[in-house]
Amino acid sequence: MYNFFFEYLKSNDPDKVVGRKGVKARMFIYPFMRVLLKAANPYKYHMVKRAKIPEGRAIIYAPTHGFKDDMLNSYIIINDPVYALFGSLLQFFNHHEGILAWLFGVILVDRTDKESKRTALLKMQRAMSFGINGLIFPEGTWNLTDSLLVLKLFNGIYKLAVSTSALITPVITHTDGNNCYVVLDEPFDITAYECDEGLQVLRDKMATVKFELMEKFSSYSRKELETNGVSLKAAWENYKEELINKVKYYPPMDHDVYQFKDKTVVDYSEAFAHLKRVKLTNNNAFLLRSIRTENFTELLIYDN
């Protein structure tokens, strides 16, 4: 299937994408739609904490991102009609879940197109001007890294908070087996900080709760994880593959290509890229042969 009737959502003109009547209709039907969310949830839902959301103040929800149904479980605990920034265009246009997302309210963004990214914030502003709240995954893509609790965040959420005078409310999801544990954290005013500091505060809040959920509900010994001769690294790679396989349309390397790139930080691939161009000679073979081995590369990736 192809949801061709949603092509209008690709427009960079906010007036053509978001209308007052559409926003009000979604606010009206949300209580009925939420019932469907609970019924469709493949996980056993656990609300660990739900902070009180102030009335009469615009809110932008900021969920963590790392598995297929984190959006669904975030919707359940939020219990508030929202327009969500949605960047998985293949999934949206080629799956029935795109229709459900449209019913709840979405702003599409092509993460490869600068104009689409710029106007996506204008569309979110327009939707929120009609009284609905917003939802943005500030990591921009799934966090499938080996060691980061939360990826570095894009600044779009900060810009939207400034333009709408909204509070930011972190939403943290964590799965263990068939269980999904969710926290709706305290809202805070990110605009009380400069952009970089505000994003760091938000990331720290999200990472702190993520760690607490992992510590409370997913504490395992290394021996428990390394079963049947499978290394910890291999077990982690298998787990990531299981997560990705649950999504029908997941572009290869999506989580690497679309995550925030900090220009002040040089990663292992950039630091050692020049070695691949060095000609192998009798004088440097003793060094380059070991550096270019697959095991050395895997070690770099794992330590990163």
Side-chain angles (χ1 to χ4, degrees):
M1 64 178 299
Y2 181 76
N3 301 322
F4 65 90
F5 33 82
F6 294 144
E7 284 286 336
Y8 77 95
L9 293 173
K10 292 181 179 180
S11 171
N12 290 327
D13 184 347
D15 293 344
K16 293 181 179 179
V17 174
V18 184
R20 181 186 297 273
K21 290 183 179 180
V23 171
K24 295 300 181 182
R26 286 170 174 82
M27 295 173 71
F28 177 77
I29 68 172
Y30 177 78
F32 308 99
M33 295 293 295
R34 189 171 182 270
V35 175
L36 296 178
L37 287 178
K38 291 185 174 181
N41 193 1
Y43 290 92
K44 185 177 180 181
Y45 170 81
H46 303 272
M47 183 177 70
V48 179
K49 173 189 172 183
R50 189 181 192 282
K52 185 176 180 180
I53 304 300
E55 297 182 3
R57 185 71 186 269
I59 302 292
I60 303 171
Y61 297 96
T64 55
H65 208 16
F67 63 100
K68 176 180 178 292
D69 295 293
D70 52 12
M71 189 172 185
L72 184 155
N73 281 275
S74 296
Y75 274 151
I76 293 175
I77 197 169
I78 287 171
N79 192 23
D80 183 19
V82 296
Y83 259 61
L85 192 63
F86 200 96
S88 300
L89 300 188
L90 281 175
Q91 187 76 4
F92 182 83
F93 282 102
N94 295 281
H95 199 275
H96 69 270
E97 290 177 351
I99 300 174
L100 293 176
W102 174 81
L103 284 171
F104 279 99
V106 292
I107 300 298
L108 297 187
V109 56
D110 182 346
R111 291 171 289 177
T112 66
D113 187 293
K114 290 184 178 179
E115 185 64 10
S116 177
K117 289 190 287 186
R118 184 186 71 83
T119 58
L121 290 181
L122 299 179
K123 298 171 196 175
M124 290 291 289
Q125 291 174 25
R126 179 170 169 80
M128 293 179 68
S129 73
F130 297 136
I132 202 165
N133 289 324
L135 182 150
I136 292 180
F137 290 96
E139 294 172 279
T141 188
W142 285 13
N143 177 13
L144 297 180
T145 59
D146 294 334
S147 57
L148 297 178
L149 291 170
V150 176
L151 297 173
K152 289 193 174 183
L153 310 181
F154 286 92
N155 64 12
I157 193 169
Y158 183 89
K159 293 178 179 178
L160 185 62
V162 170
S163 64
T164 59
S165 300
L167 298 177
I168 301 294
T169 301
V171 184
I172 298 87
T173 53
H174 170 67
T175 61
D176 186 276
N178 195 43
N179 297 290
C180 184
Y181 304 94
V182 193
V183 169
L184 185 73
D185 207 18
E186 301 290 339
F188 77 103
D189 185 1
I190 197 172
T191 66
Y193 308 91
E194 293 297 324
C195 182
D196 289 346
E197 184 181 6
L199 292 174
Q200 188 59 55
V201 170
L202 173 57
R203 187 185 183 205
D204 287 345
K205 288 176 178 291
M206 297 167 75
T208 297
V209 176
K210 185 75 171 180
F211 180 82
E212 290 172 348
L213 291 175
M214 292 170 63
E215 187 177 42
K216 184 174 182 179
F217 300 110
S218 300
S219 293
Y220 298 95
S221 68
R222 190 183 187 101
K223 184 178 180 180
E224 289 176 291
L225 296 172
E226 294 184 326
T227 57
N228 300 321
V230 177
S231 69
L232 191 62
K233 176 63 176 176
W236 172 237
E237 293 299 326
N238 292 339
Y239 174 69
K240 289 194 293 185
E241 187 175 353
E242 289 177 7
L243 292 177
I244 292 173
N245 287 340
K246 291 180 180 179
V247 181
K248 186 173 183 180
Y249 296 96
Y250 189 92
M253 305 302 291
D254 182 272
H255 50 282
D256 293 327
V257 172
Y258 293 122
Q259 64 181 267
F260 178 77
K261 297 293 191 301
D262 189 338
K263 295 180 180 179
T264 66
V265 177
V266 178
D267 64 24
Y268 76 92
S269 60
E270 295 171 311
F272 292 96
H274 68 285
L275 295 176
K276 296 180 180 179
R277 299 189 295 269
V278 176
K279 185 177 180 180
L280 190 66
T281 68
N282 290 334
N283 294 328
N284 63 25
F286 75 97
L287 177 62
L288 290 182
R289 278 189 302 183
S290 60
I291 289 177
R292 289 175 174 176
T293 61
E294 185 177 352
N295 290 338
F296 185 83
T297 303
E298 288 182 352
L299 179 61
L300 287 172
I301 294 173
Y302 187 69
D303 287 346
N304 186 57

